[in-house]
C-alpha cells in the first residue's frame, strides 16, 4: 500500500508543480499569481476539492508526447466562498501558456456541467495564450464546447469571468457570454485580433494595452464591468459580487439581518439643486436610500450617464439603475441603454428586485446617436424593463421627459410601485422647449418675444413641470417627501417579496439585439 500511496503522492506533487519553478518565477515577476495561488485566495480555507488533477493531454504531434504536465494547464474543481458552493476553473499560464487543449477544455466543461446540475455559480480565472497551437481544430472544438455551455448556463447560474492575463482570439467569447467580467490592470488584455494583425489589416499602430487592456474595456468598449489593480483585488471583487447574488435562478440572494429604525433621511431633501438645470450626483440619492455602505457599482467607467449596481435595502439584495445627472445631464444614449438593459436582464434572471431612480431629460439627439442605432438600442432597455418580472420600484427624483419617462420603468411597462419627489417634472419635454413649439406663432408675433416666451414657459411649467398630473392619473402611486424615501422603499420591497408574475407562454422573446 505504501508504495502505491507514494506513487499517488509523486503524481500529485507533479500536478502541484505546474510548469515548474522557473515559469512560476516568471509569472510572479510579471506581478501575477499562479492558478493555484488565485484559488487559495478565492475559496474558503480547506474547501477546495480538485477534479481532474491528473488529466493529461492526448497530443502526440510536434514533440508533445514527451511533454506532460498533469492537470494540463487548468486547475478545476469546487469549493466555497463565504460558505456557499461555487465551481471554478483557473488557467495555469506556467503550463503551455495556459493554452486550451482538447483535454483542458474537457476539464472546464466538466465543472460547467456540474455547476448547472447542482445550481451553483461558475467562476473562471482566465490566463491563457488561447488555442493550443499544436492541437489545431481539436482545441477550437474545445472552445466551442465551452461557449455552448456558457449559453446553456446563462440565466441559470451566475457566471463570472476574471481576466488575469492574455485572453485573445475567439477565447474572448466565453467571458463575453458570462454575466460579469473583471480585468486586472496592466497584466490582462482581451482582443479578437492583436496589435500585429491590426497593423497588417488597418495599418493602425496600437499597443496591446491600448487595444484591449483593462482601462480600454472599462471605459471605451464596456466589455469589462470592473477593473482591479492586481490579482488579489480582482478576487476580492469576485467575492463581493457573489455576496449579492443567489446561487441560481430558482433561489433568492441571501438576506442580511436587519432591524428597522425610523429610516427617516432628511438629508435627501437637499440633494436636488434649486436650479433645475444644475447637475447632482445620483449616487448621493442611492446612498441616502440603501443600507449603509451597501452600494456596489458595476460598470462605473462606461456610459457614466447611467449608474447600475447592487445594493441592499432592509438587508435584501436589490439592483439599482439610475440616470446620472452629473454626466450628459443623465440623458439616455446608445451605450447607457445597452449597459442598463443587460443589467436589468441579469437581475431579472436571478430574482433580484430592481430600484430605478429617474432623472432623465430624454434620449440624446444627433446623427451619431441615430446612425449608431439609438432606436434599436433604446428599445433594448424598454424591452428589458417590460419583460422583467422581479419586483420593480421607480422613484422619479426630478425630470422624466418624453419617451425616456416610458422607458425608465414606468407604471405602463409593468413597474409595481412608482414614487416621485415633489421636484419631479413628468412631461413630454422641458417647459422652454415645449413653449417654443406650441406657442411659436404667439411668441414670434409678440411685441416682446423674449417676455412672451418666458410667460408661456412659466405657464407650461406651472401646469406640467410637476408630478401631480401623473399622480392624478395614477401613473405615480405617491408623491413623497424625500426624507421618507428609504422607509417607503423598504416597505415596498418587503410588500413585493412574494410577487409572482409569469410572462405569456412562448419559446423566447426577440429582444432587439
Ligand atoms: C501552445 C503556447 C501558446 C499556445 C503560449 N504558449 N501560447 N503553447 N499554444 N497558444 C507557450 C509558449 O510556447 C511558451 O512555452 C509559454 O506558453 C509561454 O509563452 P511566451 O510566449 O513565452 O509568454 P509571453 O512572452 O508572456 O507571451 C504570451 C503570449 C504569447 C502573448 C500569449 O505566448 C502568444 O502570442 N501566444 C500565442 C497566442 C496565439 O496566437 N494563440 C492562438 C490564438 S487563436 P515555453 O515552453 O517556451 O515556456 C485562438 C483561437 C481561439 O486562440 C478560437 C476559439 C473559437
Amino acid at each position: 500500500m505504501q508504495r502505491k500511496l507514494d506513487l499517488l503522492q509523486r503524481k500529485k506533487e507533479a500536478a502541484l508543480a505546474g510548469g515548474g519553478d522557473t515559469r512560476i518565477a516568471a509569472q510572479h515577476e510579471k506581478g501575477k499569481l499562479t492558478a493555484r495561488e488565485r484559488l487559495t485566495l478565492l475559496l474558503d480555507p480547506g474547501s477546495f476539492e480538485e477534479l481532474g488533477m491528473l488529466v493529461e493531454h492526448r497530443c502526440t504531434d510536434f514533440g508533445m508526447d514527451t511533454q506532460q504536465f498533469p492537470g494540463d494547464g487548468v486547475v478545476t474543481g469546487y469549493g466555497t466562498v463565504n460558505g456557499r458552493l461555487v465551481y471554478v476553473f483557473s488557467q495555469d499560464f506556467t503550463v503551455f501558456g495556459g493554452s486550451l487543449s482538447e483535454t483542458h477544455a474537457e476539464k472546464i466543461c466538466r465543472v460547467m456541467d456540474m455547476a448547472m446540475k447542482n445550481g451553483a455559480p461558475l467562476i473562471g480565472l482566465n490566463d491563457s495564450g488561447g488555442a493550443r497551437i499544436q492541437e489545431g481544430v481539436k482545441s477550437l472544438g474545445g472552445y466551442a464546447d465551452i461557449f455552448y455551455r456558457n449559453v446553456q448556463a446563462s440565466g441559470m447560474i451566475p457566471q463570472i469571468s476574471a481576466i488575469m492575463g492574455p485572453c485573445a482570439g475567439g477565447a474572448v467569447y466565453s467571458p463575453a457570454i458570462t454575466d460579469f467580467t473583471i480585468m486586472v490592470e496592466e497584466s490582462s488584455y482581451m482582443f479578437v485580433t492583436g496589435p500585429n494583425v491590426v497593423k497588417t489589416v488597418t495599418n493602425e499602430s496600437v499597443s496591446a494595452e491600448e487595444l484591449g487592456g483593462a482601462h480600454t474595456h472599462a471605459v471605451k468598449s464596456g466589455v469589462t464591468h470592473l477593473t482591479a489593480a492586481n490579482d488579489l483585488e480582482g478576487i476580492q471583487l469576485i467575492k463581493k459580487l457573489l455576496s449579492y447574488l443567489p446561487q441560481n435562478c430558482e433561489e433568492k440572494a441571501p438576506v442580511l439581518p436587519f432591524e428597522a429604525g425610523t429610516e427617516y433621511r432628511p438629508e435627501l431633501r437637499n440633494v436636488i439643486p434649486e436650479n433645475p438645470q444644475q447637475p447632482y450626483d445620483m449616487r448621493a440619492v442611492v446612498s441616502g436610500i440603501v443600507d449603509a455602505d451597501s452600494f456596489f457599482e458595476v460598470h462605473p467607467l462606461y456610459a457614466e450617464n447611467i449608474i447600475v449596481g447592487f445594493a441592499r435595502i432592509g438587508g435584501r439584495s436589490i439592483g439599482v439603475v439610475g440616470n446620472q445627472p452629473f454626466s450628459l445631464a443623465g440623458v439616455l444614449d446608445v451605450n447607457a441603454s445597452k449597459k442598463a438593459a443587460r443589467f436589468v436582464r441579469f437581475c431579472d434572471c436571478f430574482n433580484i428586485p430592481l430600484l430605478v431612480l429617474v432623472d432623465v431629460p430624454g434620449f440624446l439627439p444627433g446623427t451619431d446617436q441615430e446612425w449608431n442605432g439609438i432606436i434599436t438600442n433604446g428599445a433594448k432597455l424598454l424591452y428589458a424593463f417590460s419583460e422583467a418580472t422581479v419586483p420593480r420600484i421607480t422613484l422619479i427624483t426630478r425630470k422624466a421627459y418624453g419617451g425616456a419617462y416610458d422607458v425608465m420603468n414606468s407604471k405602463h411597462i409593468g413597474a409595481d410601485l412608482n414614487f416621485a419627489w415633489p421636484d419631479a417634472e413628468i412631461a413630454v419635454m422641458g417647459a422652454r422647449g415645449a413653449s417654443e413649439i406650441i406657442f411659436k406663432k404667439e411668441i414670434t408675433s409678440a411685441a416682446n418675444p423674449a417676455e412672451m416666451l418666458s410667460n408661456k414657459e412659466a405657464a407650461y411649467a406651472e401646469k406640467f413641470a410637476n408630478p401631480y398630473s401623473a399622480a392624478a392619473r395614477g401613473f405615480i402611486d405617491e408623491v413623497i417627501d424625500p426624507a421618507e424615501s428609504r422607509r417607503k422603499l423598504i416597505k415596498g420591497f418587503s410588500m413585493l417579496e412574494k410577487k409572482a408574475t409569469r410572462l405569456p407562454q412562448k419559446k423566447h422573446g426577440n429582444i432587439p439585439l
Side-chain angles (χ1 to χ4, degrees):
M1 185 56 164
Q2 192 52 48
R3 220 160 32 88
K4 289 180 182 169
L5 287 176
D6 289 345
L7 174 65
L8 172 61
Q9 185 59 22
R10 281 198 301 281
K11 282 187 178 288
K12 282 190 170 174
E13 278 166 12
L16 293 173
D21 290 346
T22 313
R23 289 192 183 92
I24 290 175
Q27 180 87 341
H28 286 156
E29 262 167 46
K30 289 182 204 157
K32 293 161 65 177
L33 299 175
T34 65
R36 288 180 187 280
E37 287 165 346
R38 289 167 179 159
L39 288 178
T40 303
L41 289 173
L42 175 67
L43 301 169
D44 297 337
S47 73
F48 182 50
E49 291 296 331
E50 188 166 348
L51 302 170
M53 188 189 210
L54 304 181
V55 164
E56 296 182 350
H57 70 72
R58 298 188 281 262
C59 180
T60 52
D61 296 319
F62 307 106
M64 287 295 278
D65 41 353
T66 60
Q67 299 182 62
Q68 280 294 358
F69 297 88
D72 200 26
V74 63
V75 184
T76 55
Y78 61 95
T80 58
V81 173
N82 294 322
R84 300 165 74 208
L85 179 64
V86 294
Y87 290 83
V88 289
F89 69 85
S90 180
Q91 292 180 311
D92 184 352
F93 192 83
T94 70
V95 173
F96 304 121
S99 57
L100 187 131
S101 66
E102 189 181 24
T103 42
H104 179 127
E106 283 168 4
K107 285 181 66 177
I108 295 177
C109 287
R110 176 150 158 73
V111 283
M112 293 178 85
D113 289 340
M114 292 186 90
M116 281 188 270
K117 275 188 208 150
N118 297 296
L122 175 80
I123 298 159
L125 308 181
N126 296 264
D127 188 358
S128 165
R132 177 90 46 91
I133 294 167
Q134 296 88 336
E135 293 207 8
V137 71
K138 289 182 215 138
S139 149
L140 299 185
Y143 269 119
D145 290 337
I146 295 170
F147 302 154
Y148 180 73
R149 282 167 177 76
N150 283 133
V151 174
Q152 305 307 307
S154 180
M156 190 182 188
I157 50 167
Q159 299 181 81
I160 300 172
S161 301
I163 316 298
M164 301 183 139
C167 184
V172 296
Y173 287 112
S174 173
I177 299 168
T178 64
D179 299 303
F180 291 100
T181 299
I182 296 164
M183 289 183 76
V184 178
E185 287 154 24
E186 281 163 30
S187 60
S188 74
Y189 54 79
M190 298 176 80
F191 35 65
V192 173
T193 49
N196 295 342
V197 177
V198 169
K199 178 72 187 163
T200 310
V201 177
T202 69
N203 203 27
E204 291 168 286
S205 298
V206 63
S207 67
E209 181 64 26
E210 209 184 334
L211 182 64
H215 184 74
T216 297
H217 284 311
V219 176
K220 292 189 182 187
S221 70
V223 163
T224 194
H225 297 84
L226 296 161
T227 63
N230 50 44
D231 289 6
L232 172 60
E233 196 181 298
I235 286 163
Q236 284 165 341
L237 286 172
I238 298 173
K239 290 184 178 187
K240 180 146 194 196
L241 180 55
L242 282 170
S243 74
Y244 293 92
L245 312 184
Q247 291 291 88
N248 57 59
C249 63
E250 305 288 337
E251 294 182 13
K252 289 192 175 178
V255 180
L256 297 192
F258 170 74
E259 235 175 81
T262 66
E263 311 308 339
Y264 194 66
R265 296 286 183 274
E267 67 274 15
L268 284 172
R269 287 183 181 152
N270 306 322
V271 175
I272 308 291
E274 282 294 318
N275 176 355
Q277 309 311 327
Q278 203 177 314
Y280 61 95
D281 189 352
M282 190 59 95
R283 290 186 192 97
V285 178
V286 178
S287 54
I289 287 174
V290 303
D291 297 354
D293 301 322
S294 72
F295 186 46
F296 179 55
E297 190 173 349
V298 293
H299 249 159
L301 302 176
Y302 180 72
E304 292 179 65
N305 40 327
I306 203 152
I307 55 175
V308 301
F310 299 100
R312 290 194 183 82
I313 186 155
R316 292 185 175 85
S317 255
I318 54 166
V320 180
V321 178
N323 307 114
Q324 173 56 291
F326 250 172
S327 173
L328 294 173
V331 76
L332 283 178
D333 61 2
V334 168
N335 292 347
S337 303
K338 286 193 292 189
K339 166 178 164 178
R342 186 145 170 84
F343 183 75
V344 166
R345 282 172 67 88
F346 175 82
C347 291
D348 192 45
C349 286
F350 292 106
N351 310 314
I352 299 172
L354 286 161
L355 169 62
V356 182
L357 301 170
V358 181
D359 186 348
V360 63
F363 282 95
L364 184 62
T367 51
D368 175 68
Q369 288 294 306
E370 295 293 349
W371 296 345
N372 280 301
I374 185 62
I375 297 173
T376 311
N377 288 292
K380 287 182 180 136
L381 184 54
L382 176 57
Y383 192 108
F385 274 128
S386 299
E387 86 173 340
T389 58
V390 286
R392 288 153 54 188
I393 305 185
T394 300
L395 171 61
I396 300 175
T397 58
R398 192 167 63 174
K399 295 169 191 161
Y401 288 167
Y405 155 74
D406 284 343
V407 170
M408 288 301 294
N409 204 38
S410 63
K411 181 63 69 71
H412 321 275
I413 62 169
D416 297 293
L417 283 174
N418 294 62
F419 297 113
W421 282 355
D423 279 309
E425 302 174 20
I426 304 167
V428 174
M429 57 172 69
R432 174 165 284 255
S435 307
E436 282 169 349
I437 294 169
I438 60 177
F439 304 117
K440 186 175 167 187
K441 284 194 190 120
E442 283 169 75
I443 293 166
T444 46
S445 60
N448 185 340
E451 189 185 0
M452 177 64 84
L453 171 59
S454 165
N455 292 343
K456 293 293 184 190
E457 186 184 339
Y460 187 91
E462 172 75 17
K463 187 157 176 57
F464 289 117
N466 59 62
Y468 299 109
S469 294
R473 306 289 310 208
F475 299 165
I476 294 296
D477 292 296
E478 194 178 349
V479 180
I480 58 173
D481 174 351
E484 295 280 6
S485 305
R486 176 169 160 80
R487 195 174 64 78
K488 291 276 179 191
L489 290 167
I490 290 174
K491 286 181 86 172
F493 281 117
S494 168
M495 177 273 285
L496 292 166
E497 205 191 343
K498 295 207 162 57
K499 178 186 173 186
T501 309
R502 293 234 170 268
L503 293 174
Q505 189 67 37
K506 57 187 159 184
K507 189 173 174 197
H508 61 72
N510 188 14
I511 187 167
L513 295 173

